[in-house]
Amino acid sequence: MSLRSGFATFAGRSSYWFLHTFLHGGSSLPGKITLKLDPNILKALGANYDVIVITGTNGKTLTTALTVSVLGQKYPSILTNPTGSNMEQGIVTTFLNAKRPKTGRPIAVLEVDEANVIKVTKYIQPKAFVFTNIFRDQMDRYGEIYTTYQKILDGVALAPEATIIANGDSPLFNSKELPNPIQYYGFDDQPDGDFKAKPNTDGVLCPVCEHILHYHSLTYSNQGKYFCPNCGFHRPELTYRLTKLGEQTPTSSTFDLDGHSYTIGVGGTYNIYNALAAYAVGRFLEVSPDQISQAFTANERVFGRQEVIDVDGKQVTIILVKNPVGLDQVLHMIGTDTHQFSLVGLLNANYADGIDTSWIWDGDFEQLVNLDIPTVITGGERYKDITFRLKVAGIPDSHHIVEPDLEKVVEQIKLVPTERVYVLATYTAMLQMRKILAAKGYIKEGLGV
Amino acid sequence: MTYELNVAHLYGDLMNTYGDVGNILALNYYAKQMDVHLNVKVVSLEEDFHAADYDLAFFGGGQDFEQTIVSQDIQTKKAELTKFIESDGPLLAICGGFQLLGHYYIGANGEKLPGIGALDHYTLAQDNNRFIGNIVIKNQETGETYHGFENHQGRTFLGTDERPLGNVVSGKGNNGEDGTEGAIYKNVYCSYFHGPILTRNGDIAKHLLIAALKRKFPTADFSQQEALSIPATF
């Protein structure tokens, strides 16, 4: 470490200590200070680590947590960045806080925002990249899926030797020739058919000849065993495969990966993809199937996003929704609940939520009509938009309560005829809801995401 | 349902970026209240569009890449689409769909890409800027106010035989210069509005459906349909 890096690191660490001790905070400021003193600091900080960079639209956080847990079964020293700190400053802070391991070469598993991959690879040669998926996100902030992927590749171009571990079911990840070694993971549990994705699906053009892709099998959105009937472009050979899909409930999924059975304590097909990605990294770094199985079952904490809150006897689950593909997956997941439930939809349109609410029309709320939901409540700052969305989806007025005020939404929740309640909320609506629940003593403030 | 309308969802599998399908859902929602059943069919790449087969059409917006592909393919449908429009076929076109009905637009890499020239507008680009935000416009003829969200790089300039969908009350509109937003030509409605437009502005859905009904069933009495009141949803 150069003198400058040494000084910058010292300054950053001191500021972290100061912020934590006296101000009870500080996750990006120490990184900011350190970067100011030495813009090349990541080079010195990351040099002693085997770095795994995890990026993509959905599933970064859980994939990162699961990967840490999987690798933890074999490797003694693993560093990771806390949720949300996936930009350059947060990553620098993560390294600053790390304790020096006593033995062996430590691993750093980093969740990195798509546009920040290049800020990491400028200084660090990762051992591997993990690409989870790329879906259209809030488009007033992010670009189109092709531009997002290009941003990731701009970063990858600086690390041509790193192995890419990519979701093989996403056609985008097979669209560019890259010098890197690539391993793919995907779903391989269905017999071959021949059909197209639903009309309202993003990214269905063949990257080679620009015809519309067909599928032998499809999991959700544009992911599956795709092929182009025009030019023969097709899903690449999978290195890691889901060979059997077992029971799915809102709180658990059972499945086989390469013939071994696994269970995770969280629902949703999208979370099986996250587990499959973590499994792939584990196998890549020679963690055994038994160790991976233990990691999946042992670590309940990583699934913390779906905690159940007791509100005077109602079992309330708050789920963050932020884009159409995620929303569809959440709707599908709660649909696997065998108990009757009520549903609350809270929509805000602040910067963190996305200021354009158009995306709610790309979510398949129509599937709710078949679920026999006795009470639906809509609220939040943009309650009119979500209310009309559900009206159009076919929720009858007799089962639909409109309540913009979140305090009153909590009171309405206590009156619903079911014990289970799912609250789907955009980011700031979720924070507001949690604050109210904390003020009323149903949860401790500051916990959760 | 007493009446049936055939709806072409032009390139519905490629031009669908900003909740565009919501326009189909809203059309369906109001159609039901008007005793009308809609048969919606996606008409996409390498598929024929026959003007005579459809009573209504919707053309949404897409990502740059998809729009480039559609710009090529739509030339094969140019004659029939023009025929549909000239014979008073009702059509709603949003964003990229709006641009492609005109003469040309400038793509993401600065290249000039053809539309079908069925309408007399053209679209230029702007450097490193997009018009993003909430927008309100007022239609001078009907007095109706429309609400939406715009997010476009293109700057569209209307031809002499097009009227704007509305005049900008707040927001940017077609080009940020002349105070117009969208276009109306015969029974064609164009706009940059997301929201999607018909979900927040049910009046436009009603205009489209009434126009389609009167065109298909010229002797029927649609006074009940015309009396349908559209409550505010925004």
Side-chain angles (χ1 to χ4, degrees):
Chain A
M1 195 177 273
S2 70
L3 194 60
R4 184 177 188 186
S5 300
F7 175 69
T9 306
F10 173 76
R13 286 206 175 117
S14 315
S15 74
Y16 184 85
W17 170 81
F18 178 82
L19 288 163
H20 259 251
T21 311
F22 298 107
L23 301 173
H24 309 289
S27 68
S28 71
L29 189 60
K32 204 170 172 178
I33 291 168
T34 314
L35 276 168
K36 200 109 199 156
L37 293 168
D38 182 0
N40 301 321
I41 187 66
L42 264 182
K43 193 168 185 164
L45 289 176
N48 299 321
Y49 289 82
D50 279 341
V51 174
I52 314 284
V53 167
I54 295 176
T55 193
T57 308
N58 289 346
K60 284 189 288 281
T61 303
L62 189 61
T63 301
T64 302
L66 275 173
T67 303
V68 168
S69 159
V70 163
L71 297 181
Q73 295 288 322
K74 185 179 167 82
Y75 300 95
S77 175
I78 297 162
L79 177 66
T80 189
N81 47 342
T83 304
S85 300
N86 61 13
M87 311 265 195
E88 192 182 10
Q89 293 165 4
I91 291 162
V92 170
T93 306
T94 298
F95 279 110
L96 285 174
N97 295 342
K99 291 192 188 79
R100 256 167 234 148
K102 291 182 186 80
T103 54
R105 186 172 163 84
I107 295 174
V109 181
L110 302 177
E111 168 189 341
V112 182
D113 170 85
E114 297 91 303
N116 277 259
V117 173
I118 194 165
K119 294 183 181 164
V120 172
T121 54
K122 237 166 126 177
Y123 307 108
I124 294 175
Q125 291 288 311
K127 191 172 180 69
F129 294 101
V130 178
F131 299 167
T132 60
N133 50 58
I134 296 178
F135 298 124
R136 69 175 99 147
D137 208 334
Q138 291 303 327
M139 298 203 40
D140 49 290
R141 283 185 292 141
Y142 296 87
E144 303 183 343
I145 57 170
Y146 311 102
T147 19
T148 305
Y149 185 44
Q150 193 52 53
K151 275 181 193 158
I152 294 175
L153 291 185
D154 290 346
V156 170
L158 302 180
E161 277 161 31
T163 298
I164 294 170
I165 299 171
N167 180 346
D169 290 349
S170 170
L172 199 54
F173 295 143
N174 189 20
S175 64
K176 296 270 169 75
E177 285 289 330
L178 302 173
N180 304 60
I182 304 185
Q183 299 186 340
Y184 289 102
Y185 61 87
F187 277 48
D188 209 12
D189 63 319
Q190 297 289 323
D192 280 0
D194 180 355
F195 43 86
K196 289 193 211 174
K198 280 193 301 182
N200 198 34
T201 304
D202 219 9
V204 294
L205 279 176
C206 171
V208 179
C209 76
E210 296 160 358
H211 282 67
I212 290 176
L213 291 171
H214 285 220
Y215 288 84
H216 290 308
S217 59
L218 197 77
T219 53
Y220 64 91
S221 186
N222 68 339
Q223 301 185 133
K225 193 175 178 185
Y226 58 83
F227 69 100
C228 175
N230 186 59
C231 77
F233 174 76
H234 60 86
R235 182 174 78 171
E237 190 67 25
L238 301 178
T239 311
Y240 310 104
R241 39 173 65 78
L242 179 138
T243 42
K244 192 177 147 199
L245 194 54
E247 195 194 13
Q248 289 184 273
T249 76
T251 51
S252 73
S253 306
T254 302
F255 47 85
D256 287 6
L257 304 179
D258 297 320
H260 290 82
S261 183
Y262 298 86
T263 298
I264 54 174
V266 65
T269 307
Y270 59 105
N271 283 321
I272 301 180
Y273 268 106
N274 296 334
L276 184 50
Y279 165 85
V281 179
R283 297 298 291 141
F284 172 68
L285 292 177
E286 292 164 355
V287 183
S288 75
D290 284 346
Q291 287 173 314
I292 294 173
S293 176
Q294 278 209 323
F296 283 173
T297 40
N299 206 332
E300 296 264 318
R301 192 180 53 81
V302 302
F303 304 118
R305 273 200 179 190
Q306 283 169 26
E307 74 183 301
V308 178
I309 302 163
D310 189 314
V311 179
D312 294 0
K314 301 296 178 193
Q315 304 300 307
V316 179
T317 307
I318 304 181
I319 306 173
L320 172 70
V321 289
K322 55 173 189 161
N323 54 34
V325 172
L327 173 64
D328 278 358
Q329 283 297 297
V330 166
L331 292 174
H332 175 260
M333 178 184 75
I334 63 177
T336 61
D337 200 330
T338 50
H339 296 79
Q340 211 184 26
F341 58 85
S342 301
L343 181 73
V344 182
L346 305 178
L347 181 67
N348 282 1
N350 298 305
Y351 182 76
D353 307 292
I355 58 175
D356 181 2
T357 60
S358 300
W359 65 275
I360 61 173
W361 293 89
D362 286 320
D364 185 15
F365 284 106
E366 278 66 16
Q367 62 184 292
L368 291 175
V369 179
N370 302 322
L371 296 180
D372 186 26
I373 302 172
T375 302
V376 172
I377 303 169
T378 46
E381 293 162 12
R382 296 299 286 272
Y383 70 97
K384 286 184 183 171
D385 283 329
I386 188 63
T387 297
F388 190 60
R389 177 70 193 91
L390 292 183
K391 229 183 235 292
V392 168
I395 301 295
D397 289 353
S398 55
H399 295 194
H400 190 166
I401 297 165
V402 180
E403 182 49 75
D405 180 348
L406 299 192
E407 293 255 2
K408 291 183 185 150
V409 167
V410 174
E411 296 310 307
Q412 289 290 352
I413 285 174
K414 294 176 187 169
L415 303 175
V416 299
T418 59
E419 192 184 309
R420 293 190 184 195
V421 182
Y422 290 105
V423 179
L424 275 45
T426 58
Y427 190 72
T428 67
M430 181 178 74
L431 295 186
Q432 292 164 358
M433 192 66 176
R434 291 192 67 93
K435 202 168 173 188
I436 290 166
L437 291 172
K440 292 179 188 289
Y442 296 116
I443 48 173
K444 282 184 195 135
E445 195 150 17
L447 285 181
V449 182
Chain B
M1 304 273 170
T2 311
Y3 302 100
E4 232 178 72
L5 293 173
N6 295 324
V7 181
H9 188 181
L10 296 168
Y11 302 98
D13 47 2
L14 298 174
M15 303 290 275
N16 56 20
T17 304
Y18 293 97
D20 289 285
V21 73
N23 288 314
I24 296 284
L25 297 173
L27 268 181
N28 215 11
Y29 176 78
Y30 290 115
K32 266 192 235 163
Q33 297 177 24
M34 291 180 166
D35 198 17
V36 177
H37 176 77
L38 299 184
N39 302 310
V40 182
K41 186 173 182 290
V42 172
V43 181
S44 189
L45 300 182
E46 294 170 25
E47 291 171 344
D48 289 334
F49 172 85
H50 294 296
D53 293 348
Y54 297 100
D55 309 307
L56 194 79
F58 170 62
F59 192 3
Q63 306 189 74
D64 292 329
F65 175 54
E66 277 83 356
Q67 191 172 334
T68 312
I69 306 301
V70 171
S71 160
Q72 294 162 20
D73 185 85
I74 199 172
Q75 303 307 327
T76 67
K77 301 178 176 68
K78 174 176 172 166
E80 285 291 307
L81 278 170
T82 309
K83 193 162 131 193
F84 181 77
I85 290 168
E86 286 302 319
S87 63
D88 296 320
L91 192 163
L92 174 68
I94 302 298
C95 209
F98 176 18
Q99 295 173 356
L100 288 171
L101 293 185
H103 295 294
Y104 62 87
Y105 76 100
I106 307 296
N109 305 322
E111 72 281 28
K112 188 171 168 178
L113 293 158
I116 58 169
L119 270 64
D120 195 21
H121 55 262
Y122 62 93
T123 302
L124 304 178
Q126 50 186 332
D127 289 336
N128 298 318
N129 189 40
R130 293 179 75 87
F131 295 144
I132 302 177
N134 291 303
I135 173 164
V136 180
I137 63 171
K138 187 166 182 178
N139 184 298
Q140 301 301 334
E141 290 157 46
T142 61
E144 289 164 357
T145 296
Y146 304 134
H147 295 265
F149 187 93
E150 60 183 334
N151 184 350
H152 54 112
Q153 198 206 19
R155 294 181 298 130
T156 298
F157 296 87
L158 301 183
T160 46
D161 56 357
E162 293 176 285
R163 293 164 289 150
L165 177 65
N167 288 79
V168 175
V169 176
S170 64
K172 297 292 185 188
N174 283 338
N175 48 49
E177 292 170 25
D178 63 15
T180 65
E181 203 296 318
I184 300 178
Y185 172 74
K186 291 184 178 260
N187 281 326
V188 180
Y189 291 77
C190 300
S191 177
Y192 273 111
F193 275 30
H194 308 139
I197 189 166
L198 299 187
T199 67
R200 290 190 189 159
N201 309 284
D203 288 318
I204 300 175
K206 187 176 155 184
H207 297 324
L208 286 162
L209 288 164
I210 297 280
L213 287 168
K214 287 185 169 172
R215 180 170 173 265
K216 187 173 189 181
F217 309 100
T219 56
D221 171 21
F222 291 112
S223 50
Q224 248 185 328
Q225 280 76 3
E226 288 182 282
L228 177 74
S229 88
I230 308 277
T233 58
F234 182 72

